[in-house]
Amino acid sequence: MDAEGKGWGILGDMGAASNASVCFAILAALLGGCSRADLGVSWLDMDAGMGDTGGPDADSDSDGDVDSDSDSDSDGDSDSDSDADSAPWDGGMDAGPVWRFAAFGDSRGTYATGGHSQEVLGAIAAAVLEDEVDLVIFPGDLVFGSNDLEILEAELFEWRDTMGILYDAGVDVYPVRGNHDDGAFEAWNTVFSGPYAMSDAGPDGEINKTYVVEHENAVFFGFDLYFTPHRVNQVWLDERLAETTAEHVFAFAHEPAYAAYHADCLDDYPDERDAFIRSLAAAGGRVYFAGHDHFYARARVEFDDAGPPFYQVIIATAGAPPYVFDHDYGGDNGDASVTDEYSDTPYGYLLVEIDGPHVALTWKKMVSPTEFEATETFSYTVEE
């Protein structure tokens, strides 16, 4: 490791070891003789990302006013217990007390390790539990995956075990499939069955994979993008949006709507993507959560015909090998203006607090194996 603490190049050559495990070992060795302040950087600061191939997966296919409070710059470098369970779909619920949910995704391992990053995902799960969240949304790539049914099932069962402290505490956990989870089809329904199943309020043929759930004054739409690649089930979504009376509308799926790192995303079909985002915005939605690109990045999306801003939040920060984001949304953005507002390197999670019409989203970055710091918050208020 060099004097600035950039050890990711070393990790790229250590195939058999978990990336997180090696990081933790390096951290322990360093902190034995010096402080983080002595090093001049936090333990996960980096100039370059490390992936299993150094790039994209080789097998991957407010009123409008927003407040942001951050002690970091745009690339991330530093200068409630609830008795309410998420309910099946019935069109919407009334506003309730202040409550929280968390968003994080992409905990998959590498070609060498398989499975998932147990150390990072386990640490996030423990931190989220301390934050007293009611539910978790997880936009895909739980595990490295396989087309072999037994291997994929085993990996998904291990992921479920790592998230067990949340399940056991009564926190609702809502994952959707990513491209790495899109292997043997039956494995998902085997692992996520019984008390672990998602809502059965989904389109025909996509039950337990595409679904809608409501909680307090919000509704959540989770989409599987691998029945019709790179597209959501818009007909089904339009029907459900027409029925909802929820104050807040959130959606999540694995692929970004606007390309940040991977080329394969919803902008493969820009007209369908635009219809999707516009339908969410018309229903009062303000945020779409995605994974796939291994970093945290928030983009402001504005259309030519005005209206409140919309936000794409990439939260692929739960243990997968990190990538480098160049702050450019250079894909086919249709008639939308897509602006990079904030980004940071893994790992961590997004804590979202709902207070009536007000929403505050806080990025909590992992700064040690057991410690997370709130480094940036942005907020908005939906129109009454």
Side-chain angles (χ1 to χ4, degrees), residues 13 17 29 32 43 50 56 65 69-70 72 86 95 134 154 167 170 273 280 315 352 363 379:
D13 295 327
W43 76 289
M50 185 280 297
D65 297 331
D69 180 18
S70 171
S72 301
S86 299
D134 292 3
Y167 285 111
R273 183 272 319 280
L280 294 173
I315 190 71
V352 184
W363 163 237
S379 59

Side-chain angles (χ1 to χ4, degrees), residues 240-265:
R240 302 289 79 77
L241 288 175
E243 298 172 355
T244 186
T245 61
E247 191 169 22
H248 300 282
V249 177
F250 299 105
F252 62 103
H254 186 55
E255 296 173 1
Y258 301 94
Y261 187 83
H262 286 88
D264 59 318
C265 64

Side-chain angles (χ1 to χ4, degrees), residues 2 10 21 61-62 74 99-100 116 145 160 166 190 193 220 250 252 256 331 336 339 364 373:
D2 62 26
I10 297 172
S21 297
D61 287 347
S62 74
S74 64
W99 59 280
R100 303 182 185 96
H116 71 284
R160 204 182 74 182
L166 294 174
T190 297
S193 60
F220 296 82
F250 299 105
F252 62 103
T339 305
K364 303 193 75 172
E373 288 184 357

Side-chain angles (χ1 to χ4, degrees), residues 56-68:
D57 303 335
D59 63 340
S60 292
D61 287 347
S62 74
D63 46 58
D65 297 331
V66 175
D67 300 319
S68 181

Side-chain angles (χ1 to χ4, degrees), residues 30-83:
L30 286 171
L31 296 187
C34 60
S35 69
R36 197 157 36 125
D38 292 329
L39 292 173
V41 293
S42 61
W43 76 289
L44 281 175
D45 284 346
M46 65 185 91
D47 283 346
M50 185 280 297
D52 24 307
T53 62
D57 303 335
D59 63 340
S60 292
D61 287 347
S62 74
D63 46 58
D65 297 331
V66 175
D67 300 319
S68 181
D69 180 18
S70 171
D71 58 1
S72 301
D73 63 20
S74 64
D75 62 2
D77 294 332
S78 292
D79 294 302
S80 72
D81 291 329
S82 172
D83 295 326

Side-chain angles (χ1 to χ4, degrees), residues 209-288:
K209 297 180 177 67
T210 293
Y211 51 88
V212 57
V213 294
E214 59 183 15
H215 185 82
E216 299 291 358
N217 58 333
V219 62
F220 296 82
F221 292 93
F223 293 95
D224 190 297
L225 301 178
Y226 304 99
F227 291 96
T228 306
H230 316 303
R231 284 162 285 182
V232 304
N233 191 321
Q234 190 67 47
V235 172
W236 173 81
L237 174 61
D238 288 341
E239 292 172 350
R240 302 289 79 77
L241 288 175
E243 298 172 355
T244 186
T245 61
E247 191 169 22
H248 300 282
V249 177
F250 299 105
F252 62 103
H254 186 55
E255 296 173 1
Y258 301 94
Y261 187 83
H262 286 88
D264 59 318
C265 64
L266 301 191
D267 85 348
D268 284 5
Y269 298 90
D271 291 343
E272 288 87 342
R273 183 272 319 280
D274 290 351
F276 169 51
I277 297 300
R278 285 179 176 276
S279 69
L280 294 173
R286 302 293 288 278
V287 182
Y288 169 65

